Amino acid sequence: MLLEFSVENFLSFKQKNTLSLVSANIAGHEEDNVFTINDYELLKTAIIYGANASGKTNLIKAMRFMKNMVMLSSKESQSGEAIDVEPFKLSIDTHDQPSEFEIIFIYKKVLYRYGFTVDSQRVYQEWLFYLPNNQSEEIELFERRFENETETISLAKPFKEGEIAKTLKIRKNALFLSVAAQLDDSGIAGQMMEWFRNGFKVLFALEPDAYENFTLKKLKEPDDKQDILRFLKAADTAIENIEVVDIQAQNLPQELPKGLKGFLVSSAKAVMTEHRLFNNKGETVSSVLLSMTENESEGTKKLFALSGSIIDTLKNGEVLIVDELDAKLHPLMMRFILNLFQDKETNPHNAQLIFETHDTNLLSPRFFRRDQIWFAEKDPQGATDLFCLAAFQLEQDDSVNKDSVYKTDYFQGRYGAIPLIGEFALAF
């Protein structure tokens, strides 16, 4: 379960900004969207609004960077490579300073607070604290610092024991946590790696192949396949069945080189959807197979691509972050997906969904509490500021209440985070 994610000096984020899924003490709000774990009241969903180029996607890129850094930095293939991190470039104070990332989450009833600072050349700081369920104060597990050309790593139990304690010389572009997880995959570092790998999913609208491949893997499991089919039927796609078939040689262009054609035949797959075939009386007489790529709508293709990640997240109580979730989807499809996460019956394990969108139909107290609604806005110097709608009530007594029409107030600029459109005329 995600509590907080913070980023500083990365892409459009100059100052430290934090997205929190810890619920605020807001009177008059339904509690359906809140759950309790380890005495924390957390939110099931969070939605982020803002103008184009306001930094919404950059927040999700920051989450993906942190995940990839944890997952990949210890691999030998990364040795000697520059770290692909991009600091805020519109200030002379930040462009040569390291970027900072920190995350707080609960996994298997243990709270972890983990973070690091990096630039393109090295890791400068790295820290890990945890709070077991029976403790009242968090405990430091390790701290790593690079100062005055010297690196130090201080360890506490259980990192002070075994093979991990011998690993005090870490590549400058690798994370200590990642190396520790390789040495002890059953310990705390291994548990954290497991959460980053499986429990913290980050998806981008412009990269559908990545999450579609995950769905294709799920189709190989009978139970998962049935869940995917039920999901697509509930979404009114009229798909009765899905089959993944090998691409046959006769379906490929004849002019392809023989070697390339052989490679494609051995590795390429086609997703086929089964639909009912009707007679002129509207009666089902048979079925027909259609190509997902050629015959299904863009919305259906996206629902299919997302279905594996959505279902896996719900079944396992994980965290799903999606950039531009509403792209190509009907507003009712957005409500359908949102309800899956906010309904106790379809989300019994309290999975969490975070997404950014321009769909203002969802900007309503019917769907979200104020502490679930976030805005991203750039200041005059180009730096992103991330803030929550709940803050407005704290600043202006009851200026935003349950009966307010959030959508109207948003378009009127009451919350900010909207484009400031100027005049334009063609030059003749």
Side-chain angles (χ1 to χ4, degrees), residues 347-374:
N347 187 10
H349 304 297
N350 299 315
Q352 293 170 297
L353 173 67
I354 301 166
F355 63 101
E356 60 97 343
T357 182
H358 293 290
D359 184 2
T360 54
N361 292 308
L362 295 174
L363 193 52
S364 166
R366 289 181 296 156
F367 305 116
F368 293 103
R369 297 160 46 101
R370 290 194 302 280
D371 51 4
Q372 293 177 283
I373 300 172
W374 289 78

Side-chain angles (χ1 to χ4, degrees), residues 4-21:
E4 291 184 358
F5 174 81
S6 300
V7 57
E8 180 177 355
N9 191 28
F10 179 74
L11 296 176
S12 62
F13 291 96
K14 179 184 179 183
Q15 305 297 333
K16 183 176 181 179
N17 277 261
T18 299
L19 176 73
S20 174
L21 272 77

Side-chain angles (χ1 to χ4, degrees), residues 43-60:
L43 302 167
K44 296 179 182 178
T45 58
I47 187 169
I48 307 167
Y49 286 96
N52 293 327
S54 62
K56 303 185 303 297
T57 295
N58 287 342
L59 177 67
I60 298 178

